[in-house]
Amino acid sequence: MKALVLSGGQGTRLRPLTFTTAKQLIPVGNKPILGYVLGRIADGGIKELGVVIAKETGEDVKSYVKDGSAWGFDNTAYILQEPLGLAHAVKTAEEFLGNDSFIMYLGDNLLGEGVTELLKKFEEESLDALILLKEVEDPRAFGVAVLDEKGNVVKLVEKPEEPPSNLALVGVYVFSSRVHEAIGRIKPSWRGELEITDAIQEMIDLGFKVKAEVLNSWWLDTGKKDDILSANAVVLDEFIKTEIEGEFDGKSKITGRVKIGEGTEIINSIIRGPCAIGENCIIENSFIGPYTSVGNDTRISDSAIEYCVILDNVAVENIDRLEESLIGRNARLTRNQGHRAIKLHVGDYTEVEL
């Protein structure tokens, strides 16, 4: 069994952050989303990893994953792909995959449970495809599956206007090598892409054994700003433990589960968890509220922040209240004390809400 992780795409819904980094590398709980994905796969006992990357951000992904040994992978390969669909990604990776079965996992998806049981079911029932589904309120933005009473997949539709069920594909699939035969038979969709839903439908039509498993825990597709904030809150809620390596003075108060990195100083401030503050930060005369992640080398002074994700090397000064915000690297946020004029220096695709 191998793993194929998709870490390409342009991340247009997360611009301007994705002008300078891959969307899979945006941190939640001060750890890149891709790191959680690789952890789930490694926990399933897989040792061979293929990472599909894009030309624009591939070097950043390679710099983070390296040889994969940090997660326990013995062999890590990188496959460069044009954004022509998930089935095209499998086709591009065919040489790496060979005749092995594999799990395909979208690198910007976070799940509340691991893949061990999924892999076990695939092996025990000798399946050709096993797809993970989740009940959603509005399935129109997803691939949608229809199951029979035995859990067999009988039909798949990509982003239907009138969904035949509320079961959405969450972006985790397990395939036998027979998927390559199906991909070889399909044509590009109206979007010009080779759709994985078409490939799975082809497997069904060919009589291959295709089943589904419905996810009982949370699933977060981190494609937009609010999704990142939600993922950050869930990750902090589920995984953060009190771990204080930095220093705080006697005037500061720290409550709840809080992680503070080495070299960070907390001065006359209130830190209320769950939250994570990186290394070498200075937090002074400020309030850091729940569900906030602060990256390394950041300075926050005379400000109140809650439910935010702040990346590395950011400065926040004299901001009365900052909520539900995603702040990119090297950003500067200050309040002009002299008069009430608003001065902005923002990049393309930036959103400012005043």
Side-chain angles (χ1 to χ4, degrees):
M1 180 70 70
K2 294 178 179 175
L4 186 67
V5 174
L6 274 58
S7 193
Q10 297 181 336
T12 54
R13 294 178 296 171
L14 279 169
R15 288 174 176 171
L17 265 66
T18 47
F19 282 134
T20 54
T21 190
K23 60 181 178 180
Q24 298 84 3
L25 296 181
I26 294 174
V28 294
N30 279 355
K31 176 179 174 180
I33 295 163
L34 183 59
Y36 297 99
V37 169
L38 298 181
R40 290 296 195 197
I41 292 170
D43 289 344
I46 293 175
K47 295 296 184 183
E48 291 192 71
L49 170 69
V51 185
V52 176
I53 57 176
K55 179 177 62 177
E56 296 83 0
T57 57
E59 290 304 316
D60 289 340
V61 174
K62 291 166 72 173
S63 178
Y64 174 65
V65 179
K66 297 183 173 64
D67 64 359
S69 59
W71 291 269
F73 297 112
D74 294 334
N75 178 31
T76 297
Y78 293 95
I79 302 108
L80 186 64
Q81 188 229 355
E82 295 292 322
L84 297 173
L86 301 187
H88 183 267
V90 176
K91 186 176 182 179
T92 306
E94 190 169 354
E95 182 177 345
F96 163 75
L97 296 168
N99 292 320
D100 292 300
S101 300
F102 65 97
I103 180 170
M104 183 167 78
Y105 204 131
L106 304 191
D108 59 351
N109 276 11
L110 289 173
L111 304 181
E113 60 187 57
V115 298
T116 303
E117 292 303 315
L118 194 72
L119 297 174
K120 184 178 177 183
K121 177 173 179 171
F122 179 83
E123 298 284 357
E124 288 181 347
E125 299 188 22
S126 301
L127 300 175
D128 292 309
L130 179 59
I131 61 176
L132 198 56
L133 305 173
K134 176 69 178 174
E135 293 182 353
V136 298
E137 290 186 5
D138 185 2
R140 290 177 297 179
F142 307 99
V144 176
V146 178
L147 309 182
D148 67 13
E149 67 280 359
K150 296 181 179 178
N152 295 306
V153 182
V154 295
K155 184 180 180 182
L156 288 174
V157 188
E158 185 67 28
K159 298 180 176 62
E161 289 189 9
E162 297 183 7
S165 81
N166 66 341
L167 295 172
L169 280 73
V170 306
V172 178
Y173 317 79
V174 191
F175 292 115
S176 74
S177 61
R178 301 180 84 180
V179 70
H180 301 301
E181 178 184 345
I183 291 173
R185 295 168 63 95
I186 64 173
K187 303 294 183 185
S189 67
W190 63 272
R191 301 192 300 177
E193 297 184 356
L194 286 179
E195 309 284 1
I196 199 66
T197 46
D198 290 346
I200 299 170
Q201 185 65 54
E202 189 69 21
M203 296 180 82
I204 297 168
D205 295 342
L206 287 168
F208 297 168
K209 294 178 68 176
V210 179
K211 281 199 167 185
E213 191 75 13
V214 179
L215 185 68
N216 292 316
S217 64
W218 49 266
W219 162 49
L220 297 165
D221 173 11
T222 56
K224 295 182 290 188
K225 184 263 282 183
D226 288 344
D227 299 329
I228 294 288
L229 296 176
S230 297
N232 183 64
V234 170
V235 164
L236 290 174
D237 218 17
E238 293 250 335
F239 301 124
I240 200 74
K241 297 178 181 176
T242 297
E243 186 177 345
I244 299 176
E245 297 181 339
E247 298 179 353
F248 58 95
D249 65 7
K251 296 180 180 179
S252 296
K253 186 176 182 181
I254 298 175
T255 59
R257 291 175 290 119
V258 175
K259 183 175 182 179
I260 299 175
E262 187 176 350
T264 287
E265 296 180 54
I266 311 295
I267 305 165
N268 190 33
S269 296
I270 296 174
I271 313 295
R272 187 172 298 160
C275 73
I277 300 173
E279 298 179 350
N280 302 314
C281 298
I282 295 177
I283 312 296
E284 186 171 15
N285 304 325
S286 295
F287 168 76
I288 308 296
Y291 305 112
T292 299
S293 292
V294 178
N296 297 331
D297 304 306
T298 287
R299 182 184 184 97
I300 298 173
S301 58
D302 302 295
S303 301
I305 296 172
E306 185 167 337
Y307 202 83
C308 291
V309 174
I310 297 175
L311 276 60
D312 293 348
N313 196 33
V314 170
V316 181
E317 300 174 8
N318 299 308
I319 302 297
D320 293 339
R321 190 75 181 175
L322 184 67
E323 293 182 356
E324 300 182 26
S325 298
L326 175 59
I327 310 297
R329 291 175 292 188
N330 307 310
R332 297 285 183 271
L333 283 71
T334 63
R335 178 174 290 279
N336 188 321
Q337 298 294 312
H339 52 86
R340 298 183 64 82
I342 296 170
K343 299 179 180 180
L344 300 175
H345 176 189
V346 297
D348 297 351
Y349 297 94
T350 299
E351 295 178 14
V352 177
E353 186 174 333
L354 300 173

